[in-house]
Amino acid sequence: MTHIAIIGAGITGVTTAYELVKQGFNVTVFEKNLYPAMETSFANGGQLSACNAEVWNQKSTIAKGLKWMSQKDAPLLLNPSFNLHKYKWLMSFLNNIKHYENNTIATVRLALDARQHMFRIADEEGFDFNLEKKGILHFYHNEYEFEVAKKVNQLLQKGGLERYAVSPDEIKAIEPALTGQYYAGFYTPEDATGDIHKFTRGLAAACEKYGVKFCLGANVLHIQPHQDRVEIHYQQQAAEQQQDFDGVVICGGVNSYHLGEQLGDKIHIYPVKGYSITVNLNDENSVKNAPWVSLLDESAKIVTSRLGKDRFRVAGTAEFNGYNKDIRHDRIQPLVDWVNKNFDIATDNVISWAGLRPMMPDMMPRVQRSRQARVFYNTGHGHLGFTLSAATAVLIRHEIQTVLAAA
């Protein structure tokens, strides 16, 4: 039986393990943490959002970043201090503006494919991850924002997305919990939300049931490819160990960049920090008034998801500040303020979190083979890991089958 190693037990690594084991592969997953889904897959915005598939490669994104550099609470924050990795990434980001339309359409199609796979997994495995199929509602505060959104919507529809404009009255009808005033919106009825941590942990348990081995607390030190095998050198419980495999898939999030460098591959991931708060709904009024429909406030760049009866997730911001994982109060407070502005719920019990999104400069995931024999990548999903991973797992499984069958 073909034995595949996977590096990383976040959403991408675990969906890849599931897809491979269901197709008859022997699979071992290496994870430096003691449990799956403890980093970027721990507390993201929770959206399964084909409607959020627009890539960021526009001059306006850079202009906003420059404008907001002096505002600590801005939705996009760029630390201007010199770092070669960061500025090479930004130059590549600018070079990909010309691919904005094609990449947006391609991302929509991938997200729609992933949605079908995700729902299939949920039905087949039956574990609870607070899945809500209530759609996603974008809302806008002025005419200019909405006119820009109309052009984006045309691209999304080219990719096959069902999404339609809604009036202020329709916004309130779709989600009565909203208390603000809004100019207009777009609604995507088939998108969904869920708890990424619960999904990943639940799917990991299903993988173990099918025979996947999880090697936890294992820090991969070195990958040594050969024509007939791949050696994985790792440290676990202070002891250095080594195992041989028929192939390896790197699903290491922001660490994929360093593993790629080691192998001579240019996987140009840069960590873009995102923040979230989980509002615990501890009183009857908050339970009643927290929204069930997932929301995206375009001007604030904030998304929401309802995670069962008693939790409300709010996430946003993009911070270009290296590998720093500090949770900054000046980035969390705008999320709390936004909740207080838009809903009649208590925010006296809030859990803060920050994670590093593995972002490619063209905003497209890397689902490909390495230049080295028997090495593959499924990484670089950025802010759409939950949305895209179920589809990229299928794509990389096909690639592995094709390559190893010919080996």
Side-chain angles (χ1 to χ4, degrees), residues 48 115 119 133-136 161-162 187-192:
L48 296 163
R115 183 202 281 166
F119 291 167
K133 297 181 179 180
K134 297 182 183 298
I136 296 179
L161 184 67
E162 179 192 351
Y187 182 54
T188 311
E190 299 302 318
D191 273 347

Side-chain angles (χ1 to χ4, degrees), residues 68-86:
W68 287 334
M69 277 197 299
S70 62
Q71 301 177 28
K72 292 183 178 181
D73 61 349
L76 174 63
L77 187 63
L78 173 66
N79 184 336
S81 63
F82 181 76
N83 174 276
L84 185 60
H85 179 196
K86 176 171 60 182

